[in-house]
Amino acid sequence: MIDVPPADHDNELAFWSAASGQQLTQGDFHPEYHGAALHGQDFGLLIQRLGHGPGRIHIDIHTDDLDAEVARLEKLGAERVQQVDHWWVLRDPAGLLFCVVPEPAGSLDDGNAQRWD
Amino acid sequence: MIDVPPADHDNELAFWSAASGQQLTQGDFHPEYHGAALHGQDFGLLIQRLGHGPGRIHIDIHTDDLDAEVARLEKLGAERVQQVDHWWVLRDPAGLLFCVVPEPAGSLDDGNAQRWD
């Protein structure tokens, strides 16, 4: 996820759409996000329009068990920052923010995800 | 690529190894990097020990034609910053640094890469 301030947003979106060769489409429920899966990959590239603050990049971890994954990462040394809508924002040991995002049951399997239980 | 200052490096490496479930191994020729391919993915996660400066995350684009890819991205609005060893550092329209990294001929195909010609 590439997070950019408003003044840079449109140029950044155009650049990364062309750079990745993907049409990054706007979220229905969260219009501040544009994204797409990358060519032949389970990974997505997203651009977030920030309200303020400098541009940065953050990692999203996707999980089909949000509570268990946040607890696992907390035990490893991450700190909970806040829950936003249906995902959690955490801070890693170097102070970098990342998110843990829930996916529907059945969408993750041994082919595209790491099993923890 | 997660870039971290020396004081945070060891904690960050331990955290992201455990978080991703991958043993992030040290580079032979570039010991400041530790990395691994993510579970079932063509994507890798790397940790770079910075000499100085704040932690951040950057994107690496891999290509089997470095000169053509850097030229393509420059035309789209990126700026060349410097060549480091065998890769190029560029700056995107929002000022974020990213790298373009060469891969051997034959390592990329239509299944795992976007074709530009």
Side-chain angles (χ1 to χ4, degrees):
Chain A
M1 177 85 72
I2 303 174
D3 308 307
V4 285
D8 293 320
H9 177 267
D10 292 357
N11 285 341
E12 190 77 347
L13 179 59
F15 174 75
W16 282 103
S17 292
S20 69
Q22 303 298 322
Q23 183 70 37
L24 302 178
T25 58
Q26 190 165 26
D28 289 334
F29 298 106
H30 296 281
E32 68 273 31
Y33 294 102
H34 288 73
L38 290 172
H39 177 87
Q41 306 294 330
D42 293 317
F43 275 76
L45 175 68
L46 291 98
I47 308 282
Q48 177 179 194
R49 182 195 293 267
L50 295 172
H52 55 85
R56 59 174 183 254
I57 295 177
H58 78 260
I59 291 172
D60 282 352
I61 293 175
H62 292 251
T63 177
D64 59 7
D65 188 338
L66 184 66
D67 292 343
E69 180 65 354
V70 171
R72 187 183 75 86
L73 293 164
E74 211 176 6
K75 200 170 168 184
L76 293 175
E79 290 174 11
R80 290 178 198 245
V81 176
Q82 61 174 329
Q83 187 159 11
V84 177
D85 206 327
H86 56 288
W87 62 89
W88 263 97
V89 181
L90 285 84
R91 185 181 289 113
D92 81 8
L96 301 172
L97 300 179
F98 66 100
C99 296
V100 184
V101 180
E103 294 290 335
S107 61
L108 300 175
D109 58 38
D110 289 328
N112 62 12
Q114 178 81 42
R115 184 184 297 274
W116 299 112
D117 53 20
Chain B
M1 177 85 71
I2 304 175
D3 308 306
V4 286
D8 293 321
H9 177 267
D10 292 357
N11 285 341
E12 190 77 346
L13 178 59
F15 173 75
W16 282 104
S17 291
S20 68
Q22 303 298 321
Q23 184 71 35
L24 302 178
T25 58
Q26 191 165 24
D28 290 332
F29 298 105
H30 296 280
E32 68 272 31
Y33 294 102
H34 287 73
L38 290 172
H39 178 86
Q41 306 293 330
D42 293 317
F43 274 78
L45 175 69
L46 292 98
I47 308 282
Q48 177 180 194
R49 183 196 291 267
L50 295 173
H52 54 84
R56 59 173 184 256
I57 295 176
H58 78 259
I59 292 172
D60 281 353
I61 295 176
H62 292 253
T63 176
D64 60 8
D65 189 337
L66 183 66
D67 291 344
E69 181 65 354
V70 171
R72 186 184 75 86
L73 293 164
E74 211 177 5
K75 200 170 169 184
L76 293 175
E79 291 173 11
R80 289 177 198 245
V81 175
Q82 61 175 329
Q83 186 159 11
V84 177
D85 206 327
H86 56 289
W87 62 89
W88 264 97
V89 182
L90 286 83
R91 186 180 289 113
D92 81 7
L96 301 172
L97 300 179
F98 66 101
C99 297
V100 185
V101 180
E103 293 290 337
S107 61
L108 300 176
D109 58 36
D110 290 328
N112 61 13
Q114 179 81 43
R115 182 184 296 273
W116 299 113
D117 54 20

